[in-house]
Amino acid sequence: MNIGQTSQRAQTLYAGDGFLTQSSKWIHVAVPNKQTVTSLAVRWPGTKNPEAFEGLQPGKRYVLRQGTGRLSAHAAEGVASARDVTLTPSTLLPSPLRQHTPLRMSAPPVIEEIRYESWEGDEVILSAAWDKPLLLIFWASWCQPCLTELHELQSRLADLGDAAPKLLALNVERLDDTHSNLDELRAALRKTGFLGDSGLATEQLVSRLNKLHQQAVYRPSGLPLPFSVFLDQHRRLRVVYTGKIQMGELATDVRLRTKDNARNLAVPFAGRWGDKVFVTHPIAVTNVQIEQGYLDEARDYLAKYVDKHPPPPDDRMDDEAVRQRYRLAGVHHQWGVIERRMGNARASLRQMQRALKFHSTHLGALTETTLLLRSAGKLEEAHRFLLRAVQVQPNDADYHNKLGVIRKDQDRLAEAIPHFRDALQIDSNWHPAAHNLAWILATSSDPGLRDGETAVRLAEKLCQAFNYQQPQALDTYAAALAETGHYARAPKLMEDALAIVRESPPTNALQRLIKKLKARKTLYENQQPYRE
């Protein structure tokens, strides 16, 4: 907003700027006395050019509407609301305080297996989905609430009818005292009248459940006794009971058959779930995790996504099926990138193969596959995958250069040269291709491949692009000059290259490079060209 001829003001309107809040739509601009407003420009969201509004006067209130270019016909001072709203005050009552409250999971984790020890010392593994819910009860003989709970559960189990869960009671005393008398513990259990399955808890099982509980409540504390967990017939951990179980609550939990009903009990207020509205993109999530260095978490996130989103049948070719396959290709590619960064080359290659299974022309997967195969020394396979990438992206100079590098690694220089020329045809300033081509033309042992004049032209352009501060470019330029018989300048270029290299921290690779540069410098001083 321009005020008078000398002052300009700018303000920004935020329609919403907080959790469950709404900012005012009014912007107040103070106009000094004896000054007037000459113009007003509004830059609306999503637009490049401001929209001008004319005819404003200090001391007034106006409503501006996008696209009109003029003040609203209702822009009178003190614009009133179009309707009256009467708010009825109410009293917000807190939930009743309880020492122990069941923790119901809104996103219940799947417990793949439960391992415990039988009274005879054998390991028992529950891994298959059971035909009815399971109530896992942890208890101790010195815990009177535990014994009372076991008695009540057994005596009132019949009240739940067909919905009654299977009961499994696990004693925890051997975790602290390995010399506990098992006969005494079993006798204490029998006195409660408990008839369900029973055994001894393991450290691994208790630690795992404790970790899941801490992740849900964000509070690092040990699990109290009594302590129980309720799992449905699909092995999902639905409820964690800390303290004595109330039979009425258990009756509610075992009768919940739908996902939404179970989730609604997990939150204190009514509302709508936004998982179908706010869809989280797995690539975006894992990009943040990768950026922060949480590679394990990113890999686990993608593994869970793949598990929850199976691919469509091979015979489905509708648009949605195609989109699903594209998404899965992107997920597996991201997974493969994570595996490579973690040093798992084989696992990375498997993920890239899966990505290409769903999207055969996925450029990222083709490029990564080429990189992995080349690192493994499988150059011909790498070249074949890179050709597929070139078919998808024929005007990419980098892909053509990479094709030439692979042929160069195979010592097939006659086949490498056309690839480098193709890259420079696409982009004459593609420096890697210019360097690779100039080096072959200057140093090849095959006289039919050498072309010193072209090598000089390419290398000189490279040095100019890097302001003569790139040692590899200086090395190539010197080799090209030697090839054309211009030995006077070549040693000086090698001295410059050595001076730049020596400024870097000393490493074994650096020492080897210095040795090579010195050897080539000696050749040029003796007026001899360098040959690969």
Side-chain angles (χ1 to χ4, degrees), residues 239-296:
V239 189
V240 176
Y241 302 98
T242 53
K244 188 170 172 289
I245 298 175
Q246 303 297 319
M247 291 302 297
E249 291 175 337
L250 179 61
T252 299
D253 292 329
V254 299
R255 289 188 168 90
L256 291 176
R257 297 303 183 195
T258 67
K259 173 184 174 182
D260 287 340
N261 287 339
R263 291 199 305 176
N264 290 338
L265 280 180
V267 293
F269 307 109
R272 291 185 300 164
W273 292 94
D275 51 353
K276 295 181 180 179
V277 178
F278 304 103
V279 179
T280 303
H281 197 288
I283 305 300
V285 172
T286 50
N287 277 338
V288 175
Q289 292 173 320
I290 293 171
E291 183 180 342
Q292 298 298 320
Y294 298 118
L295 299 182
D296 286 322

Side-chain angles (χ1 to χ4, degrees), residues 166-335:
K166 177 181 178 180
L167 303 183
L168 174 59
L170 299 179
N171 185 275
V172 299
E173 293 173 70
R174 288 291 292 269
L175 299 179
D176 297 324
D177 182 7
T178 57
H179 300 291
S180 299
N181 190 307
L182 296 184
D183 291 335
E184 293 180 0
L185 298 181
R186 297 183 74 173
L189 182 61
R190 283 194 296 269
K191 286 182 180 179
T192 66
F194 184 82
L195 300 177
D197 294 336
S198 61
L200 303 171
T202 63
E203 180 69 36
Q204 292 79 2
L205 177 59
V206 173
S207 297
R208 185 180 183 189
L209 294 174
N210 189 26
K211 182 178 180 180
L212 290 173
H213 182 258
Q214 290 180 4
Q215 289 174 346
V217 299
Y218 305 102
R219 184 174 61 187
S221 60
L223 292 169
L225 286 177
F227 164 65
S228 307
V229 295
F230 175 74
L231 300 100
D232 63 19
Q233 59 269 38
H234 302 292
R235 296 175 293 169
R236 292 176 295 209
L237 177 58
R238 287 289 188 187
V239 189
V240 176
Y241 302 98
T242 53
K244 188 170 172 289
I245 298 175
Q246 303 297 319
M247 291 302 297
E249 291 175 337
L250 179 61
T252 299
D253 292 329
V254 299
R255 289 188 168 90
L256 291 176
R257 297 303 183 195
T258 67
K259 173 184 174 182
D260 287 340
N261 287 339
R263 291 199 305 176
N264 290 338
L265 280 180
V267 293
F269 307 109
R272 291 185 300 164
W273 292 94
D275 51 353
K276 295 181 180 179
V277 178
F278 304 103
V279 179
T280 303
H281 197 288
I283 305 300
V285 172
T286 50
N287 277 338
V288 175
Q289 292 173 320
I290 293 171
E291 183 180 342
Q292 298 298 320
Y294 298 118
L295 299 182
D296 286 322
E297 290 79 357
R299 179 175 59 182
D300 293 343
Y301 187 93
L302 294 177
K304 291 177 181 178
Y305 180 90
V306 170
D307 185 57
K308 292 180 180 179
H309 298 81
D314 293 340
D315 58 352
R316 270 194 60 190
M317 300 304 296
D318 55 276
D319 291 345
E320 179 56 31
V322 172
R323 284 193 291 268
Q324 290 178 20
R325 294 188 185 98
Y326 281 3
R327 283 194 294 268
L328 286 172
V331 167
H332 283 290
H333 168 253
Q334 182 88 326
W335 190 345

Side-chain angles (χ1 to χ4, degrees), residues 394-411:
N395 294 322
D396 191 309
D398 186 42
Y399 287 142
H400 289 278
N401 177 66
K402 284 184 169 67
L403 284 170
V405 169
I406 292 176
R407 288 300 188 226
K408 182 173 178 289
D409 290 344
Q410 294 176 304
D411 201 26

